[in-house]
Amino acid sequence: MFGIVRPCSHRLGEGLKTQWMAHLCGLCLALRGDHGQFARVVTNYDGLLISVLTEAQVERTTGWRRTAGPCPLRGMRTASVAQGEGARLAAAVSLVLASAKVRDHVADKDGLLARRPVALAARRVAASWGRAGARTGSDVGFDTAVLVDAVDRQVGIEALAGPGTPLLTVTEPTETATAAAFAHTAVLAGRPGNAEPLAEAGRLFGRLAHLLDAVEDRETDAASGAWNPLTATGTPLVEARRLADDALHGIRLALREVEFTDGKLAHLLLAHELGRSVDRAFGTSGCGHQYHEDGARGAFGPPQHGGPYNPQSPQSPYDGQNPYAGGGNPFGGAPSFPPPGPGRRGFWAGCAAAIGLCCTCKVCCADEFEGPWSRRRREGCLGNCDCDCSCCEACEICECCECCSCCDCGL
């Protein structure tokens, strides 16, 4: 799974969580139905927004849901899942953009892709996904050429970008691609009047996706020598945060102009959860205009509270009298340390553990689970919760919330 909009299941509530899962499973099954089992690996959190927006605009009729059979990721339970043109458009966009992502990793020689045989296989997979996405897009009346053109232009723009190049010049191809995809949901829903505001929301969503990806990858790109738009253009984090906040505000304004039949889920994801994604990427809470960059990732200004672990404060909790300094032990004997963690599993043992995780739905629904091969603790796809589980807190941080009804959490 990848994507920037990763909502907490507690904040969604039972009703919206069921809807969100219906779109997530619908995207996965649309990929499988049109392109085979392997295509399901491009299922992503952002792609399902296309399906959400399409369904949010249509009049409620039969045919937008179907009952899917048991699935290991649902604990072998059946479920009502989204189907139709919205899910297929989401699948087409996901395939084309995943194809571009793979080609980008090949160009950067990331990890195993630095090896020629692996890179060759990855290029073939990317080309196959690109063709498959074009076919499905054509079936729903969407020309994926605008996505392919954006990907091709991105390579040239990155090659020419340097210090002083406006960051928005680098994000423009992504903005154009997502604007076209968002606008086409209005065509599928039969609401042409929504195309313009949705194109604006999509353009700004593409900008945010590009910015947040650059912020999250800044340190790893610097360590590996990979190209990063912030580093290449010399854009400081505080400016990137300003652009992200402005894009988020613009999305909220654009959503006001869209005529929805039932826009609760779309509003929560794009007006509220997207803001949390910005905070998560920058390691902050609240508006970026309050902070001043100090050069460290995720640190925008002095801590609000002092304390012995404050990096700006030199004092130690023991005032320089650490009883364990120099290896001493007040209880006598050599100092004790916790035992090392469990080692990695072998290939076949890891496969068996992975099957068990899938069949018990832990990967999807557990708060934490043990990685099948690494044995490291990992967060479940839907179990991670970084909130106080108050559905009304989202409405208090958003300027667009005259359209929300916090008293009954109706958004």
Side-chain angles (χ1 to χ4, degrees), residues 272-329:
H272 298 308
E273 292 300 332
L274 197 52
R276 296 180 186 276
S277 299
V278 173
D279 288 337
R280 182 169 58 242
F282 285 92
T284 61
S285 176
C287 177
H289 295 87
Q290 305 171 26
Y291 303 96
H292 302 281
E293 185 179 31
D294 68 0
R297 181 184 184 277
F300 288 81
Q304 299 299 315
H305 305 286
Y309 304 104
N310 183 344
Q312 305 295 328
S313 177
Q315 75 268 23
S316 124
Y318 305 106
D319 295 326
Q321 303 297 320
N322 188 340
Y324 305 103
N329 189 337

Side-chain angles (χ1 to χ4, degrees), residues 21 25 29 68-79 81 358 361 364:
M21 283 296 299
C25 292
L29 292 174
C71 174
L73 293 178
R74 292 193 299 268
M76 299 308 294
R77 297 187 298 269
T78 61
V81 302
C358 290
C361 206
C364 187

Side-chain angles (χ1 to χ4, degrees), residues 225-245:
W227 195 91
N228 185 284
L230 298 180
T231 305
T233 61
T235 303
L237 279 180
V238 76
E239 172 63 10
R241 180 62 194 256
R242 184 190 69 79
L243 292 172
D245 286 338

Side-chain angles (χ1 to χ4, degrees), residues 5-350:
V5 183
R6 304 190 294 271
C8 168
S9 59
H10 298 91
R11 284 195 301 266
L12 287 175
E14 192 60 36
L16 292 182
K17 178 185 175 183
T18 300
Q19 289 187 40
W20 187 81
M21 283 296 299
H23 289 285
L24 183 64
C25 292
L27 170 57
C28 180
L29 292 174
L31 287 164
R32 185 199 67 179
D34 287 345
H35 310 292
Q37 291 284 359
F38 184 65
R40 300 171 80 174
V41 302
V42 309
T43 304
N44 66 96
Y45 296 127
D46 294 345
L48 69 87
L49 290 173
I50 303 296
S51 180
V52 170
L53 285 171
T54 304
E55 188 174 282
Q57 299 173 75
V58 299
E59 296 296 335
R60 285 294 174 263
T61 59
T62 58
W64 288 93
R65 288 284 191 274
R66 71 176 180 88
T67 300
C71 174
L73 293 178
R74 292 193 299 268
M76 299 308 294
R77 297 187 298 269
T78 61
S80 175
V81 302
Q83 66 172 350
E85 293 184 328
R88 297 191 71 198
L89 176 61
V93 171
S94 296
L95 281 166
V96 174
L97 296 184
S99 171
K101 194 176 185 73
V102 169
R103 289 201 299 269
D104 184 56
H105 285 308
V106 170
D108 291 340
K109 297 182 178 180
D110 293 337
L112 290 175
L113 295 175
R115 300 180 180 179
R116 289 178 62 87
V118 179
L120 180 61
R123 288 193 187 96
R124 290 179 177 175
V125 170
S128 174
W129 283 348
R131 292 191 298 269
R135 289 195 304 270
T136 301
S138 178
D139 290 344
V140 297
F142 180 64
D143 186 1
T144 57
V146 65
L147 306 183
V148 176
D149 175 70
V151 171
D152 292 340
R153 286 191 296 109
Q154 186 75 54
V155 176
I157 289 173
E158 291 181 358
L160 297 174
T165 300
L167 188 57
L168 298 188
T169 299
V170 179
T171 63
E172 180 274 324
T174 307
E175 296 177 22
T176 301
T178 50
F182 273 46
H184 196 69
T185 65
V187 177
L188 295 181
R191 292 184 182 269
N194 286 343
E196 185 175 347
L198 283 174
E200 177 67 5
R203 182 178 67 83
L204 295 173
F205 180 83
R207 178 182 301 178
L208 261 181
H210 202 132
L211 283 173
L212 299 190
D213 184 64
V215 170
E216 291 178 340
D217 292 347
R218 194 174 65 128
E219 292 182 352
T220 56
D221 286 346
S224 64
W227 195 91
N228 185 284
L230 298 180
T231 305
T233 61
T235 303
L237 279 180
V238 76
E239 172 63 10
R241 180 62 194 256
R242 184 190 69 79
L243 292 172
D245 286 338
D246 288 347
L248 182 61
H249 181 62
I251 290 172
R252 291 167 174 169
L253 293 177
L255 289 179
R256 296 184 192 178
E257 307 300 321
V258 180
E259 184 180 350
F260 289 119
T261 300
D262 182 0
K264 289 181 181 179
L265 181 59
H267 176 83
L268 185 139
L269 294 176
L270 289 170
H272 298 308
E273 292 300 332
L274 197 52
R276 296 180 186 276
S277 299
V278 173
D279 288 337
R280 182 169 58 242
F282 285 92
T284 61
S285 176
C287 177
H289 295 87
Q290 305 171 26
Y291 303 96
H292 302 281
E293 185 179 31
D294 68 0
R297 181 184 184 277
F300 288 81
Q304 299 299 315
H305 305 286
Y309 304 104
N310 183 344
Q312 305 295 328
S313 177
Q315 75 268 23
S316 124
Y318 305 106
D319 295 326
Q321 303 297 320
N322 188 340
Y324 305 103
N329 189 337
F331 302 102
S336 60
F337 299 95
R344 292 176 59 88
R345 289 190 180 96
F347 176 76
W348 294 112

Side-chain angles (χ1 to χ4, degrees), residues 377-399:
R377 303 302 300 175
R378 301 187 184 279
E379 292 182 341
C381 297
L382 303 180
N384 58 313
C385 181
D386 58 356
C387 65
D388 63 0
C389 301
S390 170
C391 56
C392 287
E393 180 224 4
C395 299
E396 297 170 1
I397 66 170
C398 175
E399 297 178 11

